[in-house]
């Protein structure tokens, strides 16, 4: 049937049979379905009519009933896309597609869609174009740097097919206007995203709008394409809530042992000096103590001056700040002598100390940024960056602040210099700016070819979805290297089973384990509901009492109260809802004193298994740590630069099955090798 | 500018002598060990070459000089930089008409290039990027697959890409060939593609040629103008000949094709050495990464496409049926000088070729089901060009950067199950 050609047309019986089973949705017209009754009446009418004209008209009948002339494409006589059935081609033409993200995968995807004949496409991306995108996001050129991705992608794609109708939204897919009825208008949604929060959100929107979602990601040479459709496949969140890599606050503030700890500290420092005020007191890496002798027990004491004010008053003077950060504060840390019994104590550093100017590494380097700065160079960079950032911040209006961006030279230099000086103080080997940028900016290596394979596969999936062959869309992996029996682009053999405890598509309940006397409602909203559970506008009810409201201001008076203070009991139940996502769940709160390693809370679907599996993942992660800055200031927005997300690296040892979802996170974590068709065969070479 | 020691006396300029410049070069005796200072990072030294009044093509003819075992320059045809060890001794030498000078120009990437290529350098390293930047690609056949490969390779930051085609662009290319603007339908496909290809990356030199493909000869591939050749849209015997030319000329050779929803490519890197990273995972402790050097040998195209299988052999049993589909399609193309459409006539021909081919190998006909053949007719499907083109492009990048194990030697994309498989066909020449 897929080839509406003469050979098949000659088989009248087959033709009519197939035609009658077909369900063509006239989405372009939008009103009716071409179902069995309608088809039969069309056939009846057409047959009668044509019979009158010519006794020998089987051919025309068949042609007419398959594709009414008003739906038929003006295909070229020369060489049409005949490997795709005419019927499917007309569905392609009339379907409406949403592409979320116009980064590395998005650009390739849009090109493929337009070439394949899709004519009604909406694309969403809030990012603007950066030079480092141009090695793969080929719809953009140097002259477009700084412009919105969605808009330029649209312009470039229209050159491939001026007839296509492309609607570009320079917006966040998580904003309220893209509600359920917005998602409902699409035949299929294609994700080309770079972060798990947005992925989780689109997952929920598509589940509730009942629209098939094709999810994708790449990381370096590897890639993955997966269909998510209610009732057939697991959903994006079937492996449980996603852990963000976090480090204990005291490691960052007082006892760093790895360079990543210093890098995170330096980013927090940037935010305290120039950026937005942190939501979380853990991110406050220095304060201005009225009296340095105040011991840790006095934490609650209100601060007289904020670090920002202090720095402004002192004119961001490099020497002063340097001495405070790398001498005074270090001396203060040293005064907590218990800490240093088993650790190597830091060595304070003053601005006027003599620095050893010999290069810390004399290995040959390829690029300027790959050189490791000396301490003297760090000091210079620190001072220069402070000066530049001070000037930039002077131009800001009231209440505005700078946003850290890895591609902003002074911002990146400040973090690299400060992180290295701190590393030096703590006896940790310093790193190049190139390496620090990867950690601080959460950079995932990205190349054009992996994105192109994945984007090609997404469109093949979309064609199958439109052709109602969803069962042929088993997850496909692009592998790092050739596997058994030559498998390089490897499909799964089966759809994985859904997780019956999935807190999004199956279960109605999750548990929150936390110290109820410490977690405030503000923490609950920002860290738990928005941070970990990827909600947009959560509402929380306890019985009939509203604890957190999406109405602005309604529950502000409760924000700083702890769970205990508002009367939540251990084992008590909260009703959590997000109207934007059309999502609702019961949350059981369990009171428990957590140690610093466990963070401030954790979420479980099932108290026992979830916890042990997350521990295992943490252990696996120890080899790769680019994710350190997971709580970067911009995590709440898609960073389209890192469009290219991770998958599996097959040559790694496996972890528990639950870690699979990790494969879609921003960090390359070894995950369980998936079963592919090739593996049950013997290799013979 | 660093002057060389032991400079030859400047030659009197004679316009008649100007064009076959390699002469004058080979007459210059330079002992590399004595006269060429080692500049740049330890394993690669890159210099630009040019005689000030040289044309671009002359420039390329002499741009690669192998300063190896003996102190004279090998003739152009003997030139071979395929070996990693040799590659490390390849220099670009700047020659001026008055004196012989070396300039260290390309040893470092510019700040702009560092920014542009940041995300890929983080994956394959700065050395690969430098090697990529000194490599030159000849791309034959500007159909949908050709356009995808051009896009990926130009984006990657290779030195130059030459587009070669003698066909005119037609409307059916609109499904996959995004480099040709609609207003250039009817023009030569290579020429029509240059502008958009160049816009992808100003650092890469993109040019076009229209040499008749049927007349491609050894000479065309012997003048050290390219390091890699990717051929699409050719007949089987043309491909067999081309592979031979490339072997002789010391070029890496790839051939690929997309038919409808189906695609494949073939690689012949002859003897290819590369480094790859091996991970060892000790029971305790951190994963160790180690870089090792290896060498792969490749069979010729002719050997791969004409492979004879033993009846019921395990190789035959495990072979992706795509292999036979390629043979069928190349036979079809040889007979009809075009790709199959969805006409009855073409269909009957495909069925006939299928039956002949599989019977010949005593392989059941149903290994290539009708459904498969239905997926190969008509114009190239864009997304399939993207998939096959991307895997092929990455192999080109591997070949010129000598990093990571190459696919040896055929890749098939089977549209029935979304599977991309690498299989080794053919026998090594003894
Ligand atoms: Zn689920």
């Amino acid at each position: 049937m897929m080839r509406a050609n003469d050979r098949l047309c000659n088989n009248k019986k087959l033709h009519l049979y197939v035609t009658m089973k077909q369900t063509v949705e006239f989405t372009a017209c939008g009103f009716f379905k071409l179902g069995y009754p309608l088809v039969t009446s069309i056939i009846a009418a057409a047959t009668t009519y044509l019979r009158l004209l010519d006794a020998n008209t089987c051919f025309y009948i068949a042609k007419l009933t398959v594709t009414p002339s008003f739906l038929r494409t003006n295909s070229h006589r020369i060489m049409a896309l005949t490997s795709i059935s005419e019927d499917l081609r007309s569905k392609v033409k009339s379907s409406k597609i949403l592409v979320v993200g116009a980064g590395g995968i998005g650009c390739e995807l849009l090109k493929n869609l337009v070439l394949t004949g899709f004519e009604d496409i909406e694309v969403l991306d809030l990012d603007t174009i950066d030079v480092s995108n141009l090695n793969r996001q080929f719809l953009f050129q140097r002259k477009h740097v700084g412009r919105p991705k969605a808009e330029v992608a649209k312009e470039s794609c229209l050159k491939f097919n001026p007839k296509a109708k492309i609607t570009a939204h320079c917006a966040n897919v998580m904003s309220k206007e893209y509600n359920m009825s917005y998602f409902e208008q699409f035949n299929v949604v294609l994700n080309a995203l770079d972060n798990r929060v947005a992925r989780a959100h689109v997952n929920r929107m598509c589940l509730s709008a009942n629209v098939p979602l094709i999810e994708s990601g790449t990381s370096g040479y590897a890639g993955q394409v997966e269909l998510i459709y209610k009732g057939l496949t697991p959903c994006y969140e079937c492996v449980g809530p996603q852990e963000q890599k976090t480090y204990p606050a005291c490691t960052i503030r007082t006892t760093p042992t790895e360079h990543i700890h210093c890098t995170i500290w330096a980013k927090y420092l940037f935010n305290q000096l120039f950026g937005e005020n942190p939501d979380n007191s853990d991110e406050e890496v220095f304060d201005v103590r009225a009296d340095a002798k105040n011991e840790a027990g006095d934490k609650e004491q209100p601060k007289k001056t904020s670090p920002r004010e202090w720095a402004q008053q002192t004119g961001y003077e490099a020497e002063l700040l340097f001495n405070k950060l790398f001498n005074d504060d270090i001396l203060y840390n040293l005064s907590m002598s218990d800490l240093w019994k088993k650790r190597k104590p830091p060595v304070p550093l003053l601005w006027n100390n003599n620095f050893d100017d010999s290069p810390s590494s004399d290995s040959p380097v390829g690029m300027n940024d790959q050189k490791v700065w000396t301490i003297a160079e760090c000091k210079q960079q620190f001072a220069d960056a402070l000066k530049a950032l001070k000037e930039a911040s002077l131009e800001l209006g009231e209440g505005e602040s700078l946003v850290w961006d890895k591609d902003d030279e002074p911002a990146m230099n400040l973090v690299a210099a400060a992180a290295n000086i701190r590393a030096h103080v703590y006896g940790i080997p310093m790193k190049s700016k190139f390496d620090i940028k990867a950690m601080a900016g959460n950079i995932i290596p990205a190349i054009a070819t992996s994105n192109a394979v994945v984007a090609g596969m997404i469109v093949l999936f979309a064609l199958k979805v439109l052709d109602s062959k969803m069962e042929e869309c088993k997850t496909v992996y692009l592998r790092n290297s050739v596997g058994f029996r030559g498998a390089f682009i490897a499909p799964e053999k089966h759809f994985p089973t859904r997780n019956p405890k999935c807190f999004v598509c199956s279960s109605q309940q999750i548990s929150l384990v936390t110290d109820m006397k410490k977690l405030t409602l503000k923490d609950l909203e920002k860290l738990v509901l928005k941070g970990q559970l990827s909600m947009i506008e959560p509402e929380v009810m306890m019985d009939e009492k509203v604890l957190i409201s999406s109405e602005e201001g309604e529950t502000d008076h409760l924000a700083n109260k702890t769970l205990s203070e508002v009367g939540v009991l251990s084992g008590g139940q909260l009703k959590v809802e997000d109207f934007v996502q059309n999502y609702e769940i019961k949350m059981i709160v369990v009171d428990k004193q957590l140690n610093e390693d466990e963070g401030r809370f954790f979420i479980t679907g099932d108290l026992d298994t979830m916890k042990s599996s997350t521990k295992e993942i943490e252990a696996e992660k120890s080899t790769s740590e680019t994710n350190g800055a997971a709580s970067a200031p911009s995590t709440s927005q898609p960073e389209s630069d890192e469009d290219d997300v991770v998958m599996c690296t097959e040559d790694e040892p496996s972890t528990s099955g639950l870690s699979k979802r990790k494969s879609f996170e921003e960090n390359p974590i070894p995950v369980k090798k998936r079963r592919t068709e090739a593996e049950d065969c013997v290799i013979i070479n | 500018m660093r002057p060389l020691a032991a400079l030859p006396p400047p030659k009197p300029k004679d316009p008649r002598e100007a064009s076959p410049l390699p002469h004058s070069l080979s007459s210059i005796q330079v002992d590399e060990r004595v006269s060429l200072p080692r500049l740049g990072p330890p394993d690669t030294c890159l210099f630009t070459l040019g005689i000030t009044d040289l044309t671009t093509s002359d420039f390329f003819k002499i741009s690669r000089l192998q300063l190896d075992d003996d102190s004279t320059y090998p003739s152009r045809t003997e030139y071979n930089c395929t070996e990693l060890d040799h590659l490390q001794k390849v220099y670009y030498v700047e020659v001026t008409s008055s004196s012989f000078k070396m300039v260290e120009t390309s040893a470092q990437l510019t700040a702009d290039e560092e920014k542009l290529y940041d995300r890929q350098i983080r994956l394959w390293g700065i050395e690969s990027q430098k090697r990529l930047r000194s490599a030159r690609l000849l791309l034959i056949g500007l159909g949908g697959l050709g356009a995808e490969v051009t896009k990926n390779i130009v984006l990657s930051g290779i030195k130059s890409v030459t587009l070669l085609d003698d066909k005119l662009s037609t409307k059916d290319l609109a499904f996959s060939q995004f480099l040709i603007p609609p207003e250039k339908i009817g023009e030569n496909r290579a020429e029509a593609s240059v502008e958009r290809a160049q816009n992808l990356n100003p650092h890469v030199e993109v040019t076009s040629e229209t040499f008749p493909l049927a007349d491609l000869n050894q000479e065309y591939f012997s003048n050290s103008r390219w390091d890699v050749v990717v051929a699409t849209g050719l007949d089987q015997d043309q491909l067999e000949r081309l592979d031979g030319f490339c072997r002789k000329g010391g070029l890496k050779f790839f051939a690929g094709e997309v038919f409808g929803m189906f695609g494949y490519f073939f690689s012949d890197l002859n003897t290819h050495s590369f480094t790859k990273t091996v991970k060892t995972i000790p029971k305790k402790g951190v994963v160790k990464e180690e870089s090792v050097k290896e060498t792969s040998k490749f069979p010729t195209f002719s050997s791969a496409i004409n492979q004879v299988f033993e009846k019921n052999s395990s190789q035959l049993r495990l072979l992706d049926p795509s292999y036979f589909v390629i043979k069928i399609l190349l036979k079809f193309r040889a007979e009809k000088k075009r790709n199959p459409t969805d006409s009855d006539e073409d269909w009957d021909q495909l069925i006939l070729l299928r039956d002949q081919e599989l019977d010949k190998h005593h392989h059941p006909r149903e290994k290539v089901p009708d459904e498969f053949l239905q997926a190969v007719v008509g114009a190239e499907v864009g997304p399939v060009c993207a998939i096959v083109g991307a895997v092929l492009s990455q192999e080109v990048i591997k070949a010129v950067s000598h990093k990571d194990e190459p696919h040896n030697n055929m890749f098939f994309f089977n549209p029935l199950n979304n599977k991309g498989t690498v299989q080794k066909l053919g026998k090594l020449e003894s």
Side-chain angles (χ1 to χ4, degrees):
Chain A
M1 181 61 244
M2 309 308 56
R3 299 163 31 83
N5 61 20
D6 301 351
R7 188 171 59 294
L8 276 178
C9 290
N10 291 338
N11 189 339
K12 190 172 91 186
K13 220 167 156 187
L14 169 78
H15 217 132
L16 289 176
Y17 171 73
V18 174
T19 309
M20 286 178 210
K21 289 199 72 179
Q22 207 74 41
T23 318
V24 182
E25 284 207 45
F26 282 64
T27 38
C29 311
F31 300 122
F32 59 93
K33 278 190 175 183
L34 184 56
Y36 180 85
L38 193 58
V39 169
T40 39
S41 58
I42 292 176
I43 294 170
T47 321
T48 319
Y49 177 62
L50 290 169
R51 278 281 166 203
L52 290 173
L53 292 175
D54 189 340
N56 205 1
T57 50
C58 326
F59 172 76
Y60 299 99
I61 295 166
K63 273 281 182 197
L64 256 182
T65 51
V66 183
T67 45
S69 58
F70 62 91
L71 262 186
R72 206 178 295 163
T73 42
N74 291 327
S75 57
H76 318 134
R77 281 310 297 149
I78 333 158
M79 259 294 210
L81 272 185
T82 40
S83 54
I84 300 173
S85 74
E86 199 164 346
D87 170 53
L88 179 54
R89 272 180 280 153
S90 66
K91 282 183 192 165
V92 162
K93 203 175 168 200
S94 59
S95 63
K96 193 167 168 65
I97 306 285
L98 174 64
V99 174
V100 192
I105 294 177
C107 281
E108 289 283 338
L109 185 53
L110 286 165
K111 169 210 63 183
N112 291 342
L113 288 171
V114 168
L115 294 177
T116 312
F118 287 90
E119 292 190 356
D120 193 355
I121 304 166
E122 298 210 7
V123 56
L124 253 154
D125 197 310
L126 95 166
D127 213 8
T128 53
I129 298 161
D130 180 77
V131 176
S132 63
N133 302 148
L134 304 179
N135 77 323
R136 62 194 186 285
Q137 301 177 14
F138 80 104
L139 298 177
F140 314 141
Q141 295 168 21
R142 194 145 306 238
K143 63 182 176 196
H144 299 129
V145 168
R147 286 187 56 198
K149 287 185 172 178
E151 199 180 291
V152 179
K154 172 191 166 172
E155 284 170 20
S156 301
C157 274
L158 284 177
K159 289 183 186 151
F160 303 149
N161 180 7
K163 273 195 302 182
K165 181 184 141 215
I166 303 175
T167 313
H169 304 266
C170 308
N172 189 334
V173 68
M174 292 188 285
S175 54
K176 260 191 280 181
E177 53 189 304
Y178 306 113
N179 54 17
M180 211 173 88
S181 59
Y182 176 78
F183 277 84
E184 271 173 339
Q185 61 180 315
F186 299 101
N187 296 71
V188 56
V189 173
L190 312 180
N191 260 2
L193 279 161
D194 63 336
N195 69 92
R196 74 180 169 84
V197 182
R199 282 194 170 101
H201 176 75
V202 178
N203 177 50
R204 291 173 200 188
M205 298 309 289
C206 289
L207 287 175
S208 55
N210 202 19
V211 176
L213 166 67
I214 299 172
E215 177 58 87
S216 66
T218 66
S219 168
Y221 299 114
Q224 179 172 339
V225 181
E226 169 177 20
L227 170 69
I228 294 172
Y229 190 54
K230 213 181 197 167
L232 180 68
T233 74
C235 83
Y236 177 66
E237 291 166 281
C238 264
V239 290
Q242 311 213 347
E243 294 292 321
Q244 287 189 6
K245 175 72 180 167
T246 52
Y247 295 93
C250 68
T251 307
I252 303 300
R253 275 194 295 216
T254 327
T255 55
T257 52
E258 291 170 37
H259 200 291
I260 180 72
H261 303 145
C262 302
T263 302
I264 294 170
W265 176 88
K267 277 182 73 176
Y268 290 163
L269 173 70
F270 174 92
N271 278 342
Q272 279 198 278
L273 289 177
F274 302 102
E276 278 178 27
N277 283 324
D279 295 331
N280 182 342
S281 60
D282 286 354
E283 294 175 18
E284 286 164 14
V285 290
F286 86 106
D287 52 41
V288 187
R289 295 177 205 88
D291 177 4
K293 279 171 197 124
N294 268 351
E295 283 304 319
D298 274 345
K299 264 184 187 166
E300 302 303 309
Q301 173 192 316
K303 284 166 208 138
K304 297 211 169 65
T305 355
S306 77
R308 176 92 46 98
E309 285 162 350
W310 178 80
Q312 279 166 351
Q313 283 160 17
T314 59
Y316 288 102
E317 221 271 298
E319 182 174 344
L320 214 61
L321 196 58
F322 186 102
N323 287 340
K324 160 143 183 57
L325 294 171
F326 304 115
N327 187 70
D328 305 354
D329 287 359
I330 299 297
L331 285 172
Y332 175 76
N333 287 345
L334 278 170
S335 71
M336 295 181 268
S337 51
D338 280 0
L339 285 174
W340 310 108
K341 280 178 184 156
K342 283 183 182 166
R343 293 184 175 91
K344 192 180 157 199
V347 181
L349 193 64
L350 276 165
W351 179 263
N352 289 323
N353 282 23
N354 280 328
F355 299 117
D356 178 11
D357 247 356
S358 62
S360 48
S361 144
D362 51 11
S363 60
V365 285
M367 299 199 292
N368 286 330
D369 280 358
Q370 285 182 317
K371 290 188 188 107
V372 179
W373 292 334
T374 62
I375 280 292
E377 282 167 335
C378 287
K379 194 175 122 180
Q380 188 60 45
Q381 292 286 354
F382 180 76
D384 292 349
L386 270 179
K387 205 173 150 214
L389 291 168
K390 174 190 156 192
E391 273 158 29
S393 67
L394 287 177
E395 290 174 13
L396 294 172
E398 188 65 33
E400 288 181 328
S401 54
L402 298 177
V403 177
W404 190 81
D405 176 1
K406 61 187 178 305
D407 293 312
D408 178 50
E409 283 298 309
M412 184 61 231
N413 287 345
L414 180 78
V415 167
N420 266 342
I421 299 169
R422 185 170 170 88
H424 179 80
V425 163
Y426 278 90
I428 299 165
M430 304 204 292
K431 289 188 179 242
S432 68
K433 180 179 161 190
F434 185 82
D435 290 340
I436 297 171
K437 189 170 174 179
M439 294 189 286
N442 241 336
I443 295 177
I444 292 149
I447 51 174
T449 55
S450 307
N451 289 334
V453 171
V454 162
M457 194 58 73
I458 295 171
V459 178
L460 296 186
F461 269 43
L463 289 174
K464 298 209 170 183
V465 167
L466 292 180
D467 209 9
S468 314
K469 292 181 178 169
M470 302 214 191
E471 72 290 347
E472 291 180 16
C473 297
K474 314 250 168 36
T475 303
V476 170
Y477 299 93
L478 168 65
R479 300 171 49 119
N480 274 318
S481 56
V482 177
F484 290 119
R485 256 188 93 184
F488 187 61
I489 296 174
E492 289 271 17
K493 208 169 184 176
H494 307 285
F495 287 113
T497 45
R498 273 189 305 161
N499 175 4
K501 285 179 180 154
C502 173
F503 70 107
V504 175
C505 71
S506 296
S507 164
Q508 308 300 315
Q509 180 174 316
I510 47 170
S511 303
L512 169 71
V513 182
T514 187
D515 186 339
M516 288 172 37
K517 286 186 202 65
K518 284 191 183 154
L519 199 80
T520 64
L521 288 181
K522 185 180 161 194
D523 294 335
L524 176 68
E525 179 180 351
K526 292 212 165 170
L527 305 177
V528 182
L529 303 178
K530 290 184 176 171
Q532 185 135 26
L533 295 182
S534 313
M535 293 186 171
I536 306 300
E537 297 218 329
E539 297 225 328
V540 178
M541 311 264 290
M542 184 176 58
D543 302 324
E544 292 306 304
K545 187 180 175 191
V546 182
L547 297 183
I548 295 173
S549 165
S550 59
E551 293 292 322
E552 206 162 317
E554 195 187 328
T555 49
D556 281 2
H557 60 287
L558 294 173
N560 289 318
K561 295 227 158 77
T562 64
L563 291 177
S564 304
E565 283 166 349
V566 294
V568 181
L569 301 171
S570 183
Q573 207 180 80
L574 301 177
K575 188 173 137 201
V576 182
E577 264 182 292
D578 189 312
F579 293 113
V580 180
Q581 296 177 337
N582 194 27
Y583 177 57
E584 183 187 322
I585 193 154
K586 272 184 243 160
M587 178 181 271
I588 314 284
V589 187
V590 179
D591 192 24
K592 187 175 179 243
Q593 307 258 330
L594 300 175
N595 59 40
E596 271 229 336
D597 285 345
E598 288 173 304
R600 304 180 61 186
F601 67 89
F602 60 87
I603 297 244
T604 102
D606 171 276
L607 276 171
D608 305 320
T609 56
M610 295 293 277
K611 198 182 165 205
S612 59
S613 75
T614 49
K615 285 287 170 205
E616 246 177 82
I617 293 159
E618 290 304 310
E620 287 295 332
K621 271 180 170 181
S622 57
T623 50
S624 56
E625 52 184 36
T626 49
N627 189 22
S631 43
S634 47
T635 36
S636 59
Q637 312 172 339
E639 278 179 87
S640 298
D641 198 14
E642 279 72 63
D643 39 25
D644 311 316
V645 181
V646 171
M647 324 276 98
C648 42
T649 44
E650 290 85 356
D651 36 12
E652 298 281 348
S654 61
T655 62
S656 79
L658 274 170
S659 65
K660 183 225 159 187
R661 180 51 65 213
K662 283 291 177 183
S663 67
F664 258 122
E665 216 197 311
E666 285 86 345
N667 189 31
I669 298 148
V671 298
K672 186 176 168 143
K673 184 171 173 180
R674 307 299 296 273
R675 256 185 91 74
T676 56
E677 259 186 282
E679 278 166 49
D680 47 357
C681 306
V682 194
I683 354 150
I684 297 169
N685 252 331
Chain B
M1 300 280 251
R2 282 167 194 251
L4 272 184
L7 288 182
K11 294 193 87 182
K13 241 181 166 179
D14 182 344
R16 280 167 303 166
E17 258 185 39
S19 83
L21 264 159
H23 279 255
S24 47
L25 273 177
S26 52
S27 65
I28 303 170
Q29 300 283 311
V30 180
D31 186 336
E32 179 239 355
R33 273 143 298 209
V34 176
S35 54
L36 298 183
R38 286 207 173 267
L39 298 177
D43 77 336
T44 320
C45 299
L46 301 170
F47 302 95
T48 49
L49 169 144
I51 291 179
T52 41
D53 54 349
L54 220 55
T55 66
T56 319
S57 60
D58 289 333
F59 176 93
F60 280 122
K61 278 182 195 152
I62 57 167
S63 66
R64 293 205 153 212
L65 305 163
Q66 190 176 349
L67 306 177
D68 210 346
D69 309 325
D70 59 320
S71 56
T72 55
Y73 298 104
S75 76
R76 285 174 286 149
T77 47
E78 287 164 42
Y79 164 71
N80 180 348
C81 83
T82 57
E83 294 301 310
L84 190 64
D85 291 337
H86 292 182
L87 190 84
Q88 290 169 353
K89 286 175 188 161
V90 169
Y91 291 84
Y92 294 90
V93 179
E94 179 163 294
V95 186
T96 66
S97 50
S98 57
S99 62
F100 192 22
K101 287 176 183 171
M102 290 174 44
V103 192
E104 183 187 4
T105 52
S106 42
Q108 292 285 330
L109 265 68
T110 62
D112 184 61
E113 286 171 297
E114 285 183 13
K115 264 195 182 155
L116 176 60
Y117 302 128
D118 182 272
R119 296 301 184 274
Q120 64 198 46
I121 290 172
R122 286 178 193 277
L123 187 63
W124 55 54
I126 186 76
E127 278 314 310
S128 293
Q129 190 64 43
K130 284 182 186 169
R131 288 188 181 143
L132 197 52
R133 197 174 62 155
S134 70
R136 298 147 309 155
L137 168 72
L138 171 67
L139 187 124
I140 304 171
L142 270 294
L145 180 63
E148 285 287 343
V149 174
T150 303
K151 175 201 73 196
N152 297 331
I153 296 296
V154 170
L155 287 173
S156 77
I158 202 169
K159 183 181 176 66
S160 69
V161 176
T162 308
L163 307 177
L164 170 64
D165 207 327
D166 61 357
K167 290 190 205 64
L168 303 182
S169 69
T170 51
K171 265 190 178 172
D172 54 318
L173 288 177
F175 300 116
S176 55
Q177 224 288 20
F178 53 92
L179 293 178
I180 300 181
E183 66 271 16
K184 291 193 177 170
I185 300 275
E187 295 179 25
N188 175 285
R189 302 202 295 186
E191 289 176 336
S193 305
V194 169
E195 190 185 335
R196 283 190 178 176
Q198 182 67 71
N199 285 342
L200 294 169
N201 189 348
H203 294 280
V204 178
E205 187 183 321
V206 183
T207 52
S208 63
E209 294 192 5
T210 57
F211 195 89
L213 300 185
D215 301 342
L216 285 174
N217 51 32
Q218 182 67 58
E219 201 202 333
Y220 195 79
F221 296 94
S222 302
N223 49 10
S224 292
R225 293 170 67 197
W226 301 292
D227 306 289
V228 194
V229 175
V230 174
T232 66
L234 299 181
D235 288 350
Q236 183 173 332
D237 51 327
Q238 279 176 312
L239 290 172
E240 289 181 24
R241 265 189 293 134
L242 233 63
D243 185 27
F245 297 152
C246 289
R247 280 201 159 224
K248 273 197 182 154
L251 308 175
K252 309 287 184 194
F253 175 74
F254 295 89
E257 210 70 56
V258 168
F259 299 92
M261 303 274 280
F262 165 71
Y264 93 104
F265 71 81
F266 160 86
S267 337
D268 179 4
L269 308 185
N270 202 341
T271 302
H272 181 76
S273 43
F274 55 92
T275 56
K276 69 171 186 183
T277 310
V278 182
K279 281 183 191 161
T280 46
I281 305 157
K283 282 209 171 133
K284 280 183 179 177
V286 227
V287 179
K288 271 188 199 161
E289 289 194 359
E290 204 183 359
S291 181
V292 293
K293 280 190 185 180
E294 282 184 21
T295 303
S296 285
K297 286 186 188 299
F298 286 72
T300 62
F301 182 73
S302 168
S303 159
I305 205 74
N306 300 314
Q307 160 112 24
V308 181
F309 298 94
E310 277 171 44
K311 199 177 169 184
N312 295 327
S313 67
S314 57
Q315 189 185 16
L316 190 57
R317 236 176 334 112
L318 298 178
L319 190 63
D320 194 292
S322 304
Y323 175 73
F324 293 105
V325 179
I326 293 155
K327 296 191 66 155
I328 293 163
L329 288 163
L330 287 175
K331 284 233 164 68
F332 184 97
R333 184 183 276 176
E335 284 175 18
K336 307 254 177 180
K337 300 292 166 209
R338 58 173 175 81
N339 291 349
T341 66
D342 65 339
S343 72
D344 277 358
E345 184 201 341
D346 285 4
W347 177 257
D348 293 342
Q349 185 63 21
L350 281 176
I351 297 287
L352 184 72
L353 288 170
R354 189 254 325 253
D355 295 349
Q356 282 174 357
E357 189 60 43
L358 293 175
D359 291 353
K360 201 168 89 193
H361 290 96
H362 311 287
H363 206 44
R365 288 177 183 180
E366 58 271 19
K367 289 283 176 187
V368 178
D370 288 7
E371 200 191 352
F372 202 146
L373 294 181
Q374 282 162 12
V376 307
V377 296
E380 292 169 276
V381 174
V384 177
C385 292
I387 293 171
V388 178
V391 181
L392 171 50
S393 303
Q394 197 56 44
E395 289 306 300
V396 172
I397 292 167
K398 277 189 206 169
V400 300
S401 64
H402 294 264
K403 186 170 176 3
D404 295 333
E405 186 162 3
H407 293 172
N408 193 346
N409 58 349
M410 292 187 97
F411 171 86
F412 312 112
F413 180 71
N414 183 330
L416 299 188
N417 54 14
N418 288 338
K419 222 166 153 178
T421 322
V422 177
Q423 294 192 314
K424 190 166 184 175
L425 278 302
K427 287 205 172 67
L428 293 172
E429 284 180 340
S430 47

